[in-house]
Amino acid sequence: MIRIILFLFTNLAVMLMFGLILNLTKIDTNSLYSLVIISGLLGFSGSLISLFMSKWIALYSVQGKIIKNPNNKTEQWLINTIHYYSNKIGINIPEIAIFPAEDINAFATGFGKNSSLIAVSSGLLNKMNINEAEAVLAHEISHISNGDMITMTLIQGVINSIVIFFSRLFANIIAMNFFNNKEDTDNNQITITYIIISTILDIIFGIIANIIVLWFSRNREFYADAGSAKLVGKYNMIAALEKLKMSSEPEEPKNITTLCIHGKNTSILQLFRSHPSLEQRITALYNEQYM
């Protein structure tokens, strides 16, 4: 129920923003070209803002702490290892953080290769051996090297724009046709009907769009695993994934587990999972499918 209410408020906010932009820019609302412009602006704005704020949001969500000066040998090893593999693969040194969690996990985020962050859980540092931990770090560095943060933002922006465009286009067509032959119709009735229809279409198109985004999300995990295998050896990466199978359920918030090497796959249907199963990833490495 809470998610539905939040979605309705979000849709209302989009509609208000939509109207504000139209008023400020004096764009003709009846023009398809205008609708394309507005859909693009709204579709990409949220994704880009999230990307720019991703490091702050991620650290706040997991209560992570950036390590600037190592306090012990483990932190020194973590910094040295990330520096080594970052230099080896040819990217700028990411910021490094540790967050408190019993599960074995890590994630990379940030605005591109030159402004990235790698965060690891305390559980990873306590429960993995050096080879396994190096494989996980190489996996996250591969995400950065592959430009996955930018790629997912662009994909999300394009998908958002398409959803906004078609939901508003069809809502406008349906609303206008519905009241076409009714002389006593006022603009308020048309507007309310338009908002209701566009909200319903947002839900339907949003589900379809989410399937597409999650497909890309699953595929990027395969390629990051392959990138790690090239850096540290496929058997070390396989060993790391095997260790993840024995780890406790990820404790990180949902918005963070999508980024993590070990994600929550609570959905029964593969289509709605952000990560492939660990068994699929291990099999792909054995078969060298993405290498």
Side-chain angles (χ1 to χ4, degrees):
M1 186 63 184
I2 294 176
R3 289 185 180 181
I4 294 174
I5 293 172
L6 288 174
F7 182 85
L8 292 175
F9 274 115
T10 301
N11 189 65
L12 181 59
V14 170
M15 295 296 298
L16 291 173
M17 183 63 72
F18 194 90
L20 178 62
I21 293 174
L22 288 175
N23 289 329
L24 291 175
T25 57
K26 306 301 181 183
I27 292 175
D28 179 12
T29 57
N30 294 319
S31 168
L32 280 178
Y33 179 69
S34 302
L35 183 57
V36 170
I37 294 174
I38 299 300
S39 298
L41 288 172
L42 293 176
F44 277 93
S45 59
S47 298
L48 290 173
I49 291 170
S50 296
L51 182 63
F52 277 113
M53 297 181 64
S54 60
K55 288 196 288 185
W56 180 85
I57 292 171
L59 286 173
Y60 179 80
S61 298
V62 298
Q63 299 181 333
K65 178 183 177 183
I66 292 178
I67 306 301
K68 294 183 178 179
N69 298 308
N71 294 317
N72 51 55
K73 290 182 179 180
T74 300
E75 291 182 1
Q76 185 64 64
W77 170 85
L78 180 63
I79 291 172
N80 292 343
T81 302
I82 291 177
H83 279 224
Y84 172 76
Y85 285 112
S86 297
N87 288 327
K88 187 173 182 178
I89 208 168
I91 63 170
N92 286 3
I93 308 299
E95 290 186 274
I96 302 164
I98 297 174
F99 60 92
E102 288 299 315
D103 63 305
I104 300 173
N105 230 331
F107 64 84
T109 190
F111 189 72
K113 300 179 183 181
N114 298 324
S115 179
S116 57
L117 166 77
I118 292 178
V120 301
S121 69
S122 54
L124 181 147
L125 297 174
N126 293 330
K127 297 175 183 178
M128 278 189 156
N129 62 40
I130 289 177
N131 290 337
E132 294 163 348
E134 283 188 353
V136 171
L137 296 177
H139 171 98
E140 300 306 333
I141 288 170
S142 294
H143 272 310
I144 298 170
S145 177
N146 293 341
D148 284 340
M149 291 85 78
I150 291 289
T151 301
M152 289 301 295
T153 298
L154 292 175
I155 291 169
Q156 188 70 65
V158 170
I159 295 296
N160 289 346
S161 299
I162 292 172
V163 169
I164 292 170
F165 175 81
F166 282 106
S167 64
R168 270 69 189 168
L169 176 64
F170 292 151
N172 187 57
I173 293 172
I174 294 169
M176 294 304 293
N177 286 336
F178 183 77
F179 291 106
N180 191 32
N181 297 320
K182 297 183 179 181
E183 296 180 357
D184 58 342
T185 302
D186 59 32
N187 289 333
N188 288 334
Q189 288 178 294
I190 296 175
T191 301
I192 293 171
T193 303
Y194 173 80
I195 291 174
I196 292 172
I197 295 172
S198 66
T199 300
I200 294 171
L201 292 177
D202 272 342
I203 295 172
I204 296 171
F205 293 158
I207 292 171
I208 297 171
N210 195 44
I211 291 173
I212 298 172
V213 172
L214 291 174
W215 180 83
F216 279 100
S217 179
R218 290 193 299 274
N219 271 270
R220 71 178 189 150
E221 292 303 320
F222 285 122
Y223 283 106
D225 288 344
S228 175
K230 291 175 184 177
L231 287 172
V232 302
K234 75 175 184 179
Y235 291 106
N236 285 334
M237 188 62 221
I238 289 171
L241 293 174
E242 291 285 1
K243 182 63 70 70
L244 288 178
K245 289 169 66 175
M246 297 183 287
S247 174
S248 57
E249 185 74 11
E251 301 174 6
E252 294 71 34
K254 187 176 180 180
N255 65 310
I256 300 300
T257 51
T258 304
L259 305 173
C260 289
I261 187 171
H262 190 193
K264 290 180 182 178
N265 281 330
T266 54
S267 175
I268 297 174
L269 297 176
Q270 177 73 19
L271 288 174
F272 295 100
R273 293 183 177 185
S274 62
H275 289 60
S277 69
L278 293 171
E279 289 80 7
Q280 288 175 312
R281 294 166 68 178
I282 291 169
T283 300
L285 284 171
Y286 273 121
N287 296 333
E288 300 184 354
Q289 287 178 256
Y290 296 85
M291 297 176 69

